[in-house]
Amino acid sequence: MVAIKDGTVVIVGAGCFGLSTAYHLLRRGYKDVTVIDRSSVLPAPDAASTDLNKIVRSSYPDIFYTRLAREAITAWKDTDEWGDTYHESGVYCPLQLGETYTDKAYENDVALGARIEYLSSSDGVRKIFPPSVNIAVPEHARGYLNRDGGWAFASQGISRMMDKVTSLGGKILPGKPVSELLKTDGRTTGVRCEDGSVFDAHLVVLSAGSWTASAFPELSMQEQCLATGQTVAMLQLTPEEGDMYRNCPVYLNFHTGFYMFPPNHENVVKLAIHDGGYTQPRKCAKTEDVVSTPRTVLSHGADGLRIPKASLQKLRAELHQVYPELAKKPFAGTRLCWYTDSPDENWVIGYYPNDENLFLATAGSGHAYKFLPVVGRLVADAIEGTLAPDVAKRFAVHRPRVTEGAVAVEPEVRCHPPEEIVEDQLCGPEDLLPEPAA
C-alpha cells in the first residue's frame, strides 16, 4: 500500500524511530499524524533513546551505514536545528591484530573522506588525549581517531525532535499503552489503549522498541525484535576531574564491546558494554508465548536499574585498562539499556506480511540513535513504496537471514548469545565501590 497523505497515521512509540518517522511524514505533507507512547512522561525514562549520551560514529564495515551516518552527522552539526545536542569530540577505535571489523570500518571512513588520523604507535595514541590525563596505552597499541564523530546528548535530541513534530502539526500523547490492535477482515484499522481510548487509523506504525515483541505477541516478532538489556554504569567526577577529561575522545573498542564517553555538562561519565546482553523471559498476558521483556525503572522501580554483578566487574576491569585513575572511583549508578535486536542487526522497516495497514519501524539493534535526524526518511520512503529495492530487502520484516558472504553490521562480540537475568546475581550498593587498594 502507498499511504494516502490525507489519511490518519498512528505511530506507537515516541522514541528514535517513531519521532523521526512522524517528522519526515509531516514534512512530506501528511496531515494527520499522532504519536502515542506507553510512558506517562516523555521522553520515556526507560527508553533506549532516553540516555545521557549516545555515540555518533560513521565507523562501519558495511558502507551503507557509513554513508548514512555521515549524512546524519552533517544534520547533527546544524545548531539551528539541534542546538548543542551533538558534541564532536572525535571517536577513538583501537585496532587489534586479526580483528577485521575495525579494519574494514577504517577503510570505509577513509574512502568516504572522513577526517581520520591513523595512529601507528602507543605514542601516537597517547597524544590524542589531553596530557594531564592518565591514559593506559598498551606498548604496541595502534588505532585511529575519526574526528568526524563524537556523541549526542540523547534525551535532548529526543526532546528537540518532539518539538519539531508538534511544530509541524503532529500530536504526541503520553500515557497511552496499547492493549490491542484493532482489525477488520484481517487488516489493522487502529489501536485500543489500556485506558479504553481508541485511535482509528489508515496506517499504524509500530515503533515500540524493545517492547515490540512483548506488547504485540500475536505478531510473533520475538526473533526479529529480541529485547536485550545492555549494561551501563556511570561515574560522578568532581568539577576539576571533569575539566581534566572533558576534551577526551569517545573510546570505542569493537573487539571487547567496551565504550565510554568524556564527561557531560554535569561531569558524569557513562561507560558501557556493547555485546550480546541479557534477556528477561516472561509469559505474555495475551498469549502463552514466552518473550524477553524489559526490566526497567518503570516496571521495577529503582530495582530495575541494577545490572549483573559480573558485568559491573567487567566494566571496572575495562575502565582500568583505559583510565586507571577513574577505576579507583565508586560507580554513581547503573542501568540496563534495552536494545531491540534483529538477528542480522539490520533494522526492521517494512509492512507486516498480509496487512497493508500495519507497518514496523524498529529493531535498532543498539546502533540506531545516531541516525535520529535521517532514519525517518527511510521509513517514509518504505511507507510510500519508493525505498530502493535492495534497501527494502535489507530491512524487510520477515527477511531470510543471510550469513555466507554477508558484511557484518556490528562487531563479533555482539554475536555472543545473551544470558538470562538472574535476580539474585544483580548488583547491590556495595558492588558499586572500588576494590580496596592492596
Side-chain angles (χ1 to χ4, degrees), residues 57 59-62 65 99 101 252 254 274-275 339 341-342 344-347 364-368 370-371 407-415:
R57 47 109 176 175
S59 301
Y60 283 89
D62 187 334
Y65 288 107
E99 201 275 298
Y101 184 97
L252 174 58
F254 288 121
H274 182 63
D275 61 8
Y339 289 4
D341 286 337
S342 73
D344 62 5
E345 296 180 300
N346 286 297
W347 308 321
S365 301
H367 69 106
K370 68 181 73 66
F371 300 98
V407 178
V409 175
E410 288 290 272
E412 186 177 347
V413 68
R414 288 275 288 139
C415 297

PDB file of all heavy atoms in Angstrom, residues 57 59-62 65 99 101 252 254 274-275 339 341-342 344-347 364-368 370-371 407-415:
ATOM      1  N   ARG A  57      28.946   7.887  15.286  1.00  0.00           N
ATOM      2  CA  ARG A  57      30.145   7.433  14.562  1.00  0.00           C
ATOM      3  C   ARG A  57      29.728   6.930  13.183  1.00  0.00           C
ATOM      4  O   ARG A  57      28.624   6.428  12.986  1.00  0.00           O
ATOM      5  CB  ARG A  57      30.859   6.308  15.316  1.00  0.00           C
ATOM      6  CG  ARG A  57      29.940   5.183  15.836  1.00  0.00           C
ATOM      7  CD  ARG A  57      30.066   3.861  15.129  1.00  0.00           C
ATOM      8  NE  ARG A  57      29.224   2.813  15.739  1.00  0.00           N
ATOM      9  CZ  ARG A  57      29.072   1.601  15.253  1.00  0.00           C
ATOM     10  NH1 ARG A  57      29.710   1.238  14.162  1.00  0.00           N
ATOM     11  NH2 ARG A  57      28.268   0.719  15.843  1.00  0.00           N
ATOM     12  N   SER A  59      31.880   4.759  11.657  1.00  0.00           N
ATOM     13  CA  SER A  59      32.771   3.606  11.504  1.00  0.00           C
ATOM     14  C   SER A  59      31.977   2.301  11.456  1.00  0.00           C
ATOM     15  O   SER A  59      31.637   1.719  12.491  1.00  0.00           O
ATOM     16  CB  SER A  59      33.782   3.572  12.652  1.00  0.00           C
ATOM     17  OG  SER A  59      34.544   4.758  12.667  1.00  0.00           O
ATOM     18  N   TYR A  60      31.681   1.858  10.261  1.00  0.00           N
ATOM     19  CA  TYR A  60      31.000   0.595   9.998  1.00  0.00           C
ATOM     20  C   TYR A  60      31.722  -0.134   8.876  1.00  0.00           C
ATOM     21  O   TYR A  60      32.146   0.502   7.902  1.00  0.00           O
ATOM     22  CB  TYR A  60      29.559   0.834   9.510  1.00  0.00           C
ATOM     23  CG  TYR A  60      28.549   1.206  10.552  1.00  0.00           C
ATOM     24  CD1 TYR A  60      28.334   2.540  10.902  1.00  0.00           C
ATOM     25  CD2 TYR A  60      27.749   0.239  11.151  1.00  0.00           C
ATOM     26  CE1 TYR A  60      27.371   2.894  11.834  1.00  0.00           C
ATOM     27  CE2 TYR A  60      26.776   0.587  12.078  1.00  0.00           C
ATOM     28  CZ  TYR A  60      26.594   1.906  12.416  1.00  0.00           C
ATOM     29  OH  TYR A  60      25.632   2.250  13.333  1.00  0.00           O
ATOM     30  N   PRO A  61      31.817  -1.453   8.936  1.00  0.00           N
ATOM     31  CA  PRO A  61      32.359  -2.188   7.786  1.00  0.00           C
ATOM     32  C   PRO A  61      31.358  -2.293   6.640  1.00  0.00           C
ATOM     33  O   PRO A  61      31.730  -2.577   5.511  1.00  0.00           O
ATOM     34  CB  PRO A  61      32.678  -3.570   8.367  1.00  0.00           C
ATOM     35  CG  PRO A  61      31.767  -3.713   9.526  1.00  0.00           C
ATOM     36  CD  PRO A  61      31.591  -2.334  10.084  1.00  0.00           C
ATOM     37  N   ASP A  62      30.081  -2.076   6.923  1.00  0.00           N
ATOM     38  CA  ASP A  62      29.029  -2.031   5.909  1.00  0.00           C
ATOM     39  C   ASP A  62      28.889  -0.587   5.454  1.00  0.00           C
ATOM     40  O   ASP A  62      28.385   0.267   6.192  1.00  0.00           O
ATOM     41  CB  ASP A  62      27.718  -2.552   6.494  1.00  0.00           C
ATOM     42  CG  ASP A  62      26.614  -2.688   5.462  1.00  0.00           C
ATOM     43  OD1 ASP A  62      26.651  -1.962   4.444  1.00  0.00           O
ATOM     44  OD2 ASP A  62      25.694  -3.504   5.677  1.00  0.00           O
ATOM     45  N   TYR A  65      25.818   1.875   6.018  1.00  0.00           N
ATOM     46  CA  TYR A  65      25.657   2.614   7.264  1.00  0.00           C
ATOM     47  C   TYR A  65      26.686   3.730   7.384  1.00  0.00           C
ATOM     48  O   TYR A  65      26.404   4.773   7.995  1.00  0.00           O
ATOM     49  CB  TYR A  65      25.748   1.657   8.453  1.00  0.00           C
ATOM     50  CG  TYR A  65      24.542   0.762   8.585  1.00  0.00           C
ATOM     51  CD1 TYR A  65      24.618  -0.588   8.269  1.00  0.00           C
ATOM     52  CD2 TYR A  65      23.310   1.257   9.015  1.00  0.00           C
ATOM     53  CE1 TYR A  65      23.501  -1.430   8.382  1.00  0.00           C
ATOM     54  CE2 TYR A  65      22.196   0.437   9.129  1.00  0.00           C
ATOM     55  CZ  TYR A  65      22.301  -0.904   8.810  1.00  0.00           C
ATOM     56  OH  TYR A  65      21.197  -1.714   8.912  1.00  0.00           O
ATOM     57  N   GLU A  99      41.474  -8.573  13.917  1.00  0.00           N
ATOM     58  CA  GLU A  99      40.102  -8.104  14.164  1.00  0.00           C
ATOM     59  C   GLU A  99      39.682  -7.281  12.956  1.00  0.00           C
ATOM     60  O   GLU A  99      40.037  -6.117  12.813  1.00  0.00           O
ATOM     61  CB  GLU A  99      40.071  -7.279  15.454  1.00  0.00           C
ATOM     62  CG  GLU A  99      38.687  -7.168  16.098  1.00  0.00           C
ATOM     63  CD  GLU A  99      37.877  -6.051  15.493  1.00  0.00           C
ATOM     64  OE1 GLU A  99      38.288  -4.891  15.589  1.00  0.00           O
ATOM     65  OE2 GLU A  99      36.823  -6.370  14.895  1.00  0.00           O
ATOM     66  N   TYR A 101      36.709  -6.278  11.754  1.00  0.00           N
ATOM     67  CA  TYR A 101      35.605  -5.309  11.793  1.00  0.00           C
ATOM     68  C   TYR A 101      36.143  -3.879  11.784  1.00  0.00           C
ATOM     69  O   TYR A 101      35.731  -3.050  10.967  1.00  0.00           O
ATOM     70  CB  TYR A 101      34.746  -5.545  13.038  1.00  0.00           C
ATOM     71  CG  TYR A 101      33.529  -4.645  13.120  1.00  0.00           C
ATOM     72  CD1 TYR A 101      32.288  -5.084  12.699  1.00  0.00           C
ATOM     73  CD2 TYR A 101      33.612  -3.343  13.621  1.00  0.00           C
ATOM     74  CE1 TYR A 101      31.161  -4.263  12.759  1.00  0.00           C
ATOM     75  CE2 TYR A 101      32.508  -2.514  13.678  1.00  0.00           C
ATOM     76  CZ  TYR A 101      31.282  -2.984  13.250  1.00  0.00           C
ATOM     77  OH  TYR A 101      30.183  -2.162  13.299  1.00  0.00           O
ATOM     78  N   LEU A 252      36.012   3.673  21.927  1.00  0.00           N
ATOM     79  CA  LEU A 252      35.138   2.623  21.404  1.00  0.00           C
ATOM     80  C   LEU A 252      35.971   1.434  20.950  1.00  0.00           C
ATOM     81  O   LEU A 252      36.662   1.484  19.932  1.00  0.00           O
ATOM     82  CB  LEU A 252      34.312   3.175  20.226  1.00  0.00           C
ATOM     83  CG  LEU A 252      33.436   2.194  19.457  1.00  0.00           C
ATOM     84  CD1 LEU A 252      32.436   1.502  20.371  1.00  0.00           C
ATOM     85  CD2 LEU A 252      32.713   2.917  18.320  1.00  0.00           C
ATOM     86  N   PHE A 254      35.779  -2.072  19.524  1.00  0.00           N
ATOM     87  CA  PHE A 254      34.895  -3.024  18.863  1.00  0.00           C
ATOM     88  C   PHE A 254      35.218  -4.468  19.226  1.00  0.00           C
ATOM     89  O   PHE A 254      34.375  -5.353  19.090  1.00  0.00           O
ATOM     90  CB  PHE A 254      34.983  -2.865  17.339  1.00  0.00           C
ATOM     91  CG  PHE A 254      34.334  -1.621  16.811  1.00  0.00           C
ATOM     92  CD1 PHE A 254      35.071  -0.678  16.095  1.00  0.00           C
ATOM     93  CD2 PHE A 254      32.986  -1.384  17.009  1.00  0.00           C
ATOM     94  CE1 PHE A 254      34.471   0.460  15.591  1.00  0.00           C
ATOM     95  CE2 PHE A 254      32.371  -0.240  16.519  1.00  0.00           C
ATOM     96  CZ  PHE A 254      33.115   0.677  15.805  1.00  0.00           C
ATOM     97  N   HIS A 274      28.864  -3.209  24.852  1.00  0.00           N
ATOM     98  CA  HIS A 274      28.004  -3.459  23.692  1.00  0.00           C
ATOM     99  C   HIS A 274      28.253  -4.911  23.260  1.00  0.00           C
ATOM    100  O   HIS A 274      29.192  -5.196  22.524  1.00  0.00           O
ATOM    101  CB  HIS A 274      28.412  -2.456  22.602  1.00  0.00           C
ATOM    102  CG  HIS A 274      27.622  -2.501  21.336  1.00  0.00           C
ATOM    103  ND1 HIS A 274      26.278  -2.234  21.265  1.00  0.00           N
ATOM    104  CD2 HIS A 274      28.009  -2.744  20.056  1.00  0.00           C
ATOM    105  CE1 HIS A 274      25.873  -2.308  20.004  1.00  0.00           C
ATOM    106  NE2 HIS A 274      26.903  -2.626  19.254  1.00  0.00           N
ATOM    107  N   ASP A 275      27.430  -5.832  23.780  1.00  0.00           N
ATOM    108  CA  ASP A 275      27.657  -7.241  23.453  1.00  0.00           C
ATOM    109  C   ASP A 275      26.316  -7.959  23.319  1.00  0.00           C
ATOM    110  O   ASP A 275      25.314  -7.341  22.959  1.00  0.00           O
ATOM    111  CB  ASP A 275      28.577  -7.908  24.481  1.00  0.00           C
ATOM    112  CG  ASP A 275      28.021  -7.912  25.900  1.00  0.00           C
ATOM    113  OD1 ASP A 275      26.839  -7.538  26.093  1.00  0.00           O
ATOM    114  OD2 ASP A 275      28.762  -8.290  26.830  1.00  0.00           O
ATOM    115  N   TYR A 339      18.022  -2.862  24.248  1.00  0.00           N
ATOM    116  CA  TYR A 339      18.076  -2.869  22.791  1.00  0.00           C
ATOM    117  C   TYR A 339      16.897  -3.675  22.235  1.00  0.00           C
ATOM    118  O   TYR A 339      16.289  -4.496  22.924  1.00  0.00           O
ATOM    119  CB  TYR A 339      19.345  -3.555  22.292  1.00  0.00           C
ATOM    120  CG  TYR A 339      20.648  -2.841  22.476  1.00  0.00           C
ATOM    121  CD1 TYR A 339      20.752  -1.625  23.141  1.00  0.00           C
ATOM    122  CD2 TYR A 339      21.820  -3.408  21.980  1.00  0.00           C
ATOM    123  CE1 TYR A 339      21.977  -0.998  23.296  1.00  0.00           C
ATOM    124  CE2 TYR A 339      23.055  -2.793  22.129  1.00  0.00           C
ATOM    125  CZ  TYR A 339      23.129  -1.596  22.791  1.00  0.00           C
ATOM    126  OH  TYR A 339      24.353  -0.983  22.940  1.00  0.00           O
ATOM    127  N   ASP A 341      17.004  -6.185  19.268  1.00  0.00           N
ATOM    128  CA  ASP A 341      17.973  -6.808  18.374  1.00  0.00           C
ATOM    129  C   ASP A 341      17.306  -7.645  17.291  1.00  0.00           C
ATOM    130  O   ASP A 341      16.466  -8.509  17.586  1.00  0.00           O
ATOM    131  CB  ASP A 341      18.922  -7.719  19.168  1.00  0.00           C
ATOM    132  CG  ASP A 341      19.937  -6.935  19.976  1.00  0.00           C
ATOM    133  OD1 ASP A 341      20.202  -5.770  19.613  1.00  0.00           O
ATOM    134  OD2 ASP A 341      20.471  -7.478  20.955  1.00  0.00           O
ATOM    135  N   SER A 342      17.690  -7.409  16.047  1.00  0.00           N
ATOM    136  CA  SER A 342      17.317  -8.305  14.962  1.00  0.00           C
ATOM    137  C   SER A 342      18.445  -9.320  14.772  1.00  0.00           C
ATOM    138  O   SER A 342      19.584  -9.058  15.178  1.00  0.00           O
ATOM    139  CB  SER A 342      17.082  -7.525  13.667  1.00  0.00           C
ATOM    140  OG  SER A 342      18.323  -7.083  13.120  1.00  0.00           O
ATOM    141  N   ASP A 344      20.262 -10.178  12.229  1.00  0.00           N
ATOM    142  CA  ASP A 344      21.407  -9.726  11.436  1.00  0.00           C
ATOM    143  C   ASP A 344      21.807  -8.287  11.757  1.00  0.00           C
ATOM    144  O   ASP A 344      22.704  -7.741  11.134  1.00  0.00           O
ATOM    145  CB  ASP A 344      21.125  -9.869   9.935  1.00  0.00           C
ATOM    146  CG  ASP A 344      19.942  -9.022   9.461  1.00  0.00           C
ATOM    147  OD1 ASP A 344      19.389  -8.239  10.279  1.00  0.00           O
ATOM    148  OD2 ASP A 344      19.556  -9.152   8.291  1.00  0.00           O
ATOM    149  N   GLU A 345      21.133  -7.665  12.720  1.00  0.00           N
ATOM    150  CA  GLU A 345      21.407  -6.324  13.219  1.00  0.00           C
ATOM    151  C   GLU A 345      21.127  -5.209  12.219  1.00  0.00           C
ATOM    152  O   GLU A 345      21.467  -4.057  12.442  1.00  0.00           O
ATOM    153  CB  GLU A 345      22.828  -6.230  13.781  1.00  0.00           C
ATOM    154  CG  GLU A 345      22.988  -7.141  14.984  1.00  0.00           C
ATOM    155  CD  GLU A 345      24.357  -7.104  15.602  1.00  0.00           C
ATOM    156  OE1 GLU A 345      25.342  -7.417  14.912  1.00  0.00           O
ATOM    157  OE2 GLU A 345      24.441  -6.766  16.792  1.00  0.00           O
ATOM    158  N   ASN A 346      20.475  -5.569  11.105  1.00  0.00           N
ATOM    159  CA  ASN A 346      19.825  -4.558  10.282  1.00  0.00           C
ATOM    160  C   ASN A 346      18.476  -4.245  10.926  1.00  0.00           C
ATOM    161  O   ASN A 346      17.886  -5.083  11.606  1.00  0.00           O
ATOM    162  CB  ASN A 346      19.621  -5.060   8.855  1.00  0.00           C
ATOM    163  CG  ASN A 346      20.915  -5.099   8.066  1.00  0.00           C
ATOM    164  OD1 ASN A 346      21.554  -4.074   7.830  1.00  0.00           O
ATOM    165  ND2 ASN A 346      21.320  -6.302   7.658  1.00  0.00           N
ATOM    166  N   TRP A 347      17.974  -3.050  10.690  1.00  0.00           N
ATOM    167  CA  TRP A 347      16.719  -2.651  11.308  1.00  0.00           C
ATOM    168  C   TRP A 347      15.532  -3.364  10.655  1.00  0.00           C
ATOM    169  O   TRP A 347      15.683  -4.003   9.596  1.00  0.00           O
ATOM    170  CB  TRP A 347      16.547  -1.134  11.184  1.00  0.00           C
ATOM    171  CG  TRP A 347      17.740  -0.371  11.689  1.00  0.00           C
ATOM    172  CD1 TRP A 347      18.499  -0.670  12.791  1.00  0.00           C
ATOM    173  CD2 TRP A 347      18.339   0.790  11.107  1.00  0.00           C
ATOM    174  NE1 TRP A 347      19.518   0.238  12.934  1.00  0.00           N
ATOM    175  CE2 TRP A 347      19.452   1.147  11.922  1.00  0.00           C
ATOM    176  CE3 TRP A 347      18.054   1.575   9.999  1.00  0.00           C
ATOM    177  CZ2 TRP A 347      20.259   2.246  11.636  1.00  0.00           C
ATOM    178  CZ3 TRP A 347      18.865   2.668   9.714  1.00  0.00           C
ATOM    179  CH2 TRP A 347      19.944   2.991  10.532  1.00  0.00           C
ATOM    180  N   GLY A 364      16.383  -1.320  16.411  1.00  0.00           N
ATOM    181  CA  GLY A 364      17.593  -0.511  16.265  1.00  0.00           C
ATOM    182  C   GLY A 364      18.877  -1.265  16.487  1.00  0.00           C
ATOM    183  O   GLY A 364      19.944  -0.833  16.058  1.00  0.00           O
ATOM    184  N   SER A 365      18.821  -2.405  17.203  1.00  0.00           N
ATOM    185  CA  SER A 365      19.975  -3.285  17.402  1.00  0.00           C
ATOM    186  C   SER A 365      21.184  -2.565  17.990  1.00  0.00           C
ATOM    187  O   SER A 365      22.332  -2.901  17.705  1.00  0.00           O
ATOM    188  CB  SER A 365      20.347  -3.985  16.086  1.00  0.00           C
ATOM    189  OG  SER A 365      19.264  -4.754  15.602  1.00  0.00           O
ATOM    190  N   GLY A 366      20.898  -1.543  18.788  1.00  0.00           N
ATOM    191  CA  GLY A 366      21.969  -0.860  19.514  1.00  0.00           C
ATOM    192  C   GLY A 366      22.776   0.126  18.695  1.00  0.00           C
ATOM    193  O   GLY A 366      23.790   0.636  19.172  1.00  0.00           O
ATOM    194  N   HIS A 367      22.320   0.433  17.455  1.00  0.00           N
ATOM    195  CA  HIS A 367      23.109   1.380  16.662  1.00  0.00           C
ATOM    196  C   HIS A 367      22.240   2.322  15.839  1.00  0.00           C
ATOM    197  O   HIS A 367      22.638   2.788  14.772  1.00  0.00           O
ATOM    198  CB  HIS A 367      24.095   0.624  15.757  1.00  0.00           C
ATOM    199  CG  HIS A 367      23.465  -0.157  14.639  1.00  0.00           C
ATOM    200  ND1 HIS A 367      23.515   0.242  13.335  1.00  0.00           N
ATOM    201  CD2 HIS A 367      22.766  -1.320  14.635  1.00  0.00           C
ATOM    202  CE1 HIS A 367      22.881  -0.630  12.566  1.00  0.00           C
ATOM    203  NE2 HIS A 367      22.421  -1.597  13.331  1.00  0.00           N
ATOM    204  N   ALA A 368      21.042   2.659  16.344  1.00  0.00           N
ATOM    205  CA  ALA A 368      20.125   3.491  15.557  1.00  0.00           C
ATOM    206  C   ALA A 368      20.117   4.959  15.960  1.00  0.00           C
ATOM    207  O   ALA A 368      19.847   5.822  15.115  1.00  0.00           O
ATOM    208  CB  ALA A 368      18.702   2.937  15.656  1.00  0.00           C
ATOM    209  N   LYS A 370      22.120   7.387  16.489  1.00  0.00           N
ATOM    210  CA  LYS A 370      22.914   8.373  15.759  1.00  0.00           C
ATOM    211  C   LYS A 370      22.233   8.825  14.471  1.00  0.00           C
ATOM    212  O   LYS A 370      22.540   9.882  13.932  1.00  0.00           O
ATOM    213  CB  LYS A 370      24.301   7.796  15.444  1.00  0.00           C
ATOM    214  CG  LYS A 370      24.293   6.646  14.439  1.00  0.00           C
ATOM    215  CD  LYS A 370      25.678   6.087  14.166  1.00  0.00           C
ATOM    216  CE  LYS A 370      26.216   5.278  15.304  1.00  0.00           C
ATOM    217  NZ  LYS A 370      25.457   4.031  15.566  1.00  0.00           N
ATOM    218  N   PHE A 371      21.271   7.999  13.988  1.00  0.00           N
ATOM    219  CA  PHE A 371      20.582   8.296  12.730  1.00  0.00           C
ATOM    220  C   PHE A 371      19.261   9.043  12.955  1.00  0.00           C
ATOM    221  O   PHE A 371      18.472   9.188  12.020  1.00  0.00           O
ATOM    222  CB  PHE A 371      20.301   6.992  11.978  1.00  0.00           C
ATOM    223  CG  PHE A 371      21.541   6.202  11.640  1.00  0.00           C
ATOM    224  CD1 PHE A 371      21.945   5.135  12.434  1.00  0.00           C
ATOM    225  CD2 PHE A 371      22.307   6.529  10.537  1.00  0.00           C
ATOM    226  CE1 PHE A 371      23.081   4.404  12.120  1.00  0.00           C
ATOM    227  CE2 PHE A 371      23.457   5.803  10.217  1.00  0.00           C
ATOM    228  CZ  PHE A 371      23.842   4.736  11.015  1.00  0.00           C
ATOM    229  N   VAL A 407      28.216  -8.865   4.952  1.00  0.00           N
ATOM    230  CA  VAL A 407      29.086  -7.925   5.656  1.00  0.00           C
ATOM    231  C   VAL A 407      28.496  -7.674   7.038  1.00  0.00           C
ATOM    232  O   VAL A 407      27.300  -7.381   7.174  1.00  0.00           O
ATOM    233  CB  VAL A 407      29.200  -6.602   4.878  1.00  0.00           C
ATOM    234  CG1 VAL A 407      30.071  -5.606   5.647  1.00  0.00           C
ATOM    235  CG2 VAL A 407      29.775  -6.850   3.489  1.00  0.00           C
ATOM    236  N   ALA A 408      29.328  -7.783   8.072  1.00  0.00           N
ATOM    237  CA  ALA A 408      28.838  -7.592   9.436  1.00  0.00           C
ATOM    238  C   ALA A 408      28.367  -6.156   9.626  1.00  0.00           C
ATOM    239  O   ALA A 408      28.996  -5.204   9.160  1.00  0.00           O
ATOM    240  CB  ALA A 408      29.933  -7.925  10.442  1.00  0.00           C
ATOM    241  N   VAL A 409      27.247  -6.017  10.315  1.00  0.00           N
ATOM    242  CA  VAL A 409      26.763  -4.686  10.673  1.00  0.00           C
ATOM    243  C   VAL A 409      27.398  -4.240  11.985  1.00  0.00           C
ATOM    244  O   VAL A 409      27.829  -3.100  12.135  1.00  0.00           O
ATOM    245  CB  VAL A 409      25.226  -4.681  10.794  1.00  0.00           C
ATOM    246  CG1 VAL A 409      24.722  -3.319  11.277  1.00  0.00           C
ATOM    247  CG2 VAL A 409      24.591  -5.045   9.451  1.00  0.00           C
ATOM    248  N   GLU A 410      27.461  -5.166  12.945  1.00  0.00           N
ATOM    249  CA  GLU A 410      28.018  -4.882  14.257  1.00  0.00           C
ATOM    250  C   GLU A 410      29.146  -5.867  14.562  1.00  0.00           C
ATOM    251  O   GLU A 410      29.264  -6.912  13.911  1.00  0.00           O
ATOM    252  CB  GLU A 410      26.922  -4.959  15.316  1.00  0.00           C
ATOM    253  CG  GLU A 410      25.935  -3.793  15.273  1.00  0.00           C
ATOM    254  CD  GLU A 410      26.573  -2.497  15.730  1.00  0.00           C
ATOM    255  OE1 GLU A 410      26.574  -2.209  16.933  1.00  0.00           O
ATOM    256  OE2 GLU A 410      27.092  -1.763  14.862  1.00  0.00           O
ATOM    257  N   PRO A 411      30.005  -5.577  15.555  1.00  0.00           N
ATOM    258  CA  PRO A 411      31.200  -6.394  15.784  1.00  0.00           C
ATOM    259  C   PRO A 411      30.885  -7.796  16.303  1.00  0.00           C
ATOM    260  O   PRO A 411      29.786  -8.090  16.767  1.00  0.00           O
ATOM    261  CB  PRO A 411      31.987  -5.582  16.817  1.00  0.00           C
ATOM    262  CG  PRO A 411      30.983  -4.705  17.463  1.00  0.00           C
ATOM    263  CD  PRO A 411      29.958  -4.399  16.423  1.00  0.00           C
ATOM    264  N   GLU A 412      31.895  -8.658  16.225  1.00  0.00           N
ATOM    265  CA  GLU A 412      31.734 -10.074  16.569  1.00  0.00           C
ATOM    266  C   GLU A 412      31.285 -10.274  18.013  1.00  0.00           C
ATOM    267  O   GLU A 412      30.553 -11.225  18.311  1.00  0.00           O
ATOM    268  CB  GLU A 412      33.061 -10.813  16.333  1.00  0.00           C
ATOM    269  CG  GLU A 412      32.965 -12.313  16.519  1.00  0.00           C
ATOM    270  CD  GLU A 412      34.270 -13.021  16.211  1.00  0.00           C
ATOM    271  OE1 GLU A 412      35.178 -12.393  15.622  1.00  0.00           O
ATOM    272  OE2 GLU A 412      34.379 -14.222  16.555  1.00  0.00           O
ATOM    273  N   VAL A 413      31.683  -9.398  18.920  1.00  0.00           N
ATOM    274  CA  VAL A 413      31.302  -9.542  20.326  1.00  0.00           C
ATOM    275  C   VAL A 413      29.784  -9.519  20.494  1.00  0.00           C
ATOM    276  O   VAL A 413      29.233 -10.071  21.445  1.00  0.00           O
ATOM    277  CB  VAL A 413      31.976  -8.453  21.186  1.00  0.00           C
ATOM    278  CG1 VAL A 413      31.413  -7.066  20.860  1.00  0.00           C
ATOM    279  CG2 VAL A 413      31.845  -8.752  22.666  1.00  0.00           C
ATOM    280  N   ARG A 414      29.085  -8.909  19.542  1.00  0.00           N
ATOM    281  CA  ARG A 414      27.626  -8.859  19.593  1.00  0.00           C
ATOM    282  C   ARG A 414      26.994 -10.198  19.209  1.00  0.00           C
ATOM    283  O   ARG A 414      25.794 -10.393  19.390  1.00  0.00           O
ATOM    284  CB  ARG A 414      27.115  -7.759  18.659  1.00  0.00           C
ATOM    285  CG  ARG A 414      27.377  -6.365  19.145  1.00  0.00           C
ATOM    286  CD  ARG A 414      26.295  -5.896  20.089  1.00  0.00           C
ATOM    287  NE  ARG A 414      25.063  -5.638  19.357  1.00  0.00           N
ATOM    288  CZ  ARG A 414      23.861  -5.967  19.809  1.00  0.00           C
ATOM    289  NH1 ARG A 414      23.719  -6.583  20.948  1.00  0.00           N
ATOM    290  NH2 ARG A 414      22.786  -5.686  19.098  1.00  0.00           N
ATOM    291  N   CYS A 415      27.790 -11.104  18.646  1.00  0.00           N
ATOM    292  CA  CYS A 415      27.268 -12.405  18.228  1.00  0.00           C
ATOM    293  C   CYS A 415      27.134 -13.379  19.400  1.00  0.00           C
ATOM    294  O   CYS A 415      26.528 -14.444  19.252  1.00  0.00           O
ATOM    295  CB  CYS A 415      28.164 -13.026  17.158  1.00  0.00           C
ATOM    296  SG  CYS A 415      28.234 -12.067  15.623  1.00  0.00           S
TER     297      CYS A 415
END
